[in-house]
């Protein structure tokens, strides 16, 4: 019944060690989003895909990359995590103009 | 610039009483408005949306929201609060400059605490 699935739910990584977060969806939505949320603040959009078209927000650091190999999967790669990258990372999907459906999130800890 | 404001960091209400969580917005063009709820260490759950039509929108878990164009508000309401409604609530508006896709601008969030 789950529609947007994020793995893992909790991730601990070392300072500077690359880490990948994954997201899959069963909704067949065109658009997939990655948000960063710190300390119960408002989610901040990092980037999104419309089908295979990648769109980066202007203020997203170069340290963050993404891949979408097919409609169902999307990955967030953090090349060199810093302490400031510790956050909840939320994946979401939508049709072009419909409401967004969010996954449960991955809480990233950087040690 | 487009924005969403949630003027209250926290709302406290007794179980069984009505609740209101406030949201005001500023957008160019027609607003697409959303409410989401977030429980601790979970993702956001969609509650309801306003695109067009009736100003009173009904959503999940007994929540509703009233769109008021003249006051540029979209307050979330529930007639009778439950302790289980305690969570973080986000109002969001679609960014009208997002080129057609559903980029959301979120408010800062309001923490709702329902006391027994």
């Amino acid at each position: 019944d789950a529609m947007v699935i994020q793995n893992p739910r909790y991730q601990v990584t070392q300072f500077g060690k690359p880490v990948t977060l994954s997201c899959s969806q069963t909704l067949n939505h065109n658009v997939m989003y990655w948000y960063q949320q710190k300390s119960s603040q408002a989610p901040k959009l990092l980037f999104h895909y419309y089908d295979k078209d990648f769109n980066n927000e202007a203020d997203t650091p170069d340290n963050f990359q993404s891949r979408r190999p097919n409609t169902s999967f999307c990955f967030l790669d953090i090349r060199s995590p810093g302490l400031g990258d510790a956050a909840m990372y939320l994946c979401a999907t939508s049709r072009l103009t419909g409401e967004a459906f969010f996954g449960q999130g991955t809480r990233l800890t950087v040690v | 610039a487009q924005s969403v404001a949630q003027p209250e960091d926290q709302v406290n209400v007794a179980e069984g009483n009505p609740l209101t969580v406030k949201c005001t917005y500023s957008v160019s063009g027609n607003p697409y408005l959303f409410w989401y709820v977030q429980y601790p260490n979970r993702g956001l759950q969609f509650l309801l949306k306003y695109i067009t039509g009736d100003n009173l929108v009904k959503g999940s878990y007994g929540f509703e929201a009233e769109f008021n164009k003249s006051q540029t508000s979209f307050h979330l309401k529930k007639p009778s609060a439950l302790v289980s409604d305690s969570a973080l609530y986000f109002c969001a508006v679609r960014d009208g400059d997002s080129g057609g896709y559903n980029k959301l601008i979120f408010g800062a969030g309001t923490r709702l605490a329902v006391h027994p």
Side-chain angles (χ1 to χ4, degrees):
Chain A
D1 207 27
M3 296 181 288
V4 183
I5 304 165
Q6 291 187 243
N7 284 304
R9 291 289 315 280
Y10 301 90
Q11 175 74 57
V12 180
T13 191
Q14 291 180 338
F15 182 95
K17 184 175 181 181
V19 64
T20 295
L21 310 182
S22 72
C23 177
S24 63
Q25 58 139 337
T26 60
L27 297 164
N28 204 33
H29 284 166
N30 300 96
V31 192
M32 294 188 78
Y33 311 80
W34 279 104
Y35 287 86
Q36 180 192 63
Q37 186 184 28
K38 294 187 176 182
S39 303
S40 297
Q41 297 175 19
K44 178 182 177 299
L45 183 64
L46 295 173
F47 25 62
H48 79 279
Y49 278 93
Y50 175 54
D51 291 331
K52 283 197 171 291
D53 292 334
F54 176 73
N55 297 270
N56 203 30
E57 293 301 299
D59 56 354
T60 298
D62 292 340
N63 198 26
F64 291 87
Q65 304 286 322
S66 185
R67 297 169 283 136
R68 188 179 186 186
N70 55 51
T71 301
S72 300
F73 286 87
C74 195
F75 300 97
L76 171 62
D77 301 309
I78 308 176
R79 293 194 295 189
S80 181
L83 298 179
D85 296 328
M88 174 77 89
Y89 289 89
L90 298 168
C91 174
T93 74
S94 77
R95 300 193 188 284
L96 188 58
T97 57
E99 64 269 24
F101 291 87
F102 285 79
Q104 297 284 45
T106 294
R107 181 164 295 284
L108 179 68
T109 301
V110 182
V111 297
Chain B
Q2 296 167 103
S3 63
V4 176
Q6 293 181 244
E8 301 154 316
D9 290 335
Q10 179 150 334
V11 169
N12 297 296
V13 65
E15 187 174 31
N17 283 0
L19 70 87
T20 299
V21 183
K22 296 180 180 177
C23 172
T24 59
Y25 64 90
S26 173
V27 296
S28 55
N30 293 322
Y32 287 23
L33 295 157
F34 304 83
W35 274 103
Y36 286 86
V37 60
Q38 186 176 34
Y39 294 96
N41 285 313
R42 308 295 286 271
L44 276 66
Q45 293 180 32
F46 169 74
L47 283 178
L48 50 79
K49 66 181 177 183
Y50 173 83
I51 305 296
T52 185
D54 290 342
N55 290 342
L56 185 64
V57 179
K58 293 190 181 296
S60 304
Y61 313 121
F63 284 93
E64 56 190 30
E66 186 168 9
F67 171 69
N68 187 316
K69 187 173 183 178
S70 63
Q71 297 185 4
T72 62
S73 67
F74 189 56
H75 301 331
L76 182 70
K77 300 182 179 185
K78 187 173 182 180
S80 178
L82 300 172
V83 172
S84 57
D85 293 330
S86 299
L88 187 58
Y89 289 79
F90 289 100
C91 181
V93 65
R94 179 186 168 196
D95 184 346
D97 296 329
S98 62
Y101 77 96
N102 214 18
K103 176 180 176 180
L104 297 177
I105 299 170
F106 284 92
T110 298
R111 189 166 300 281
L112 174 67
V114 182
H115 305 286

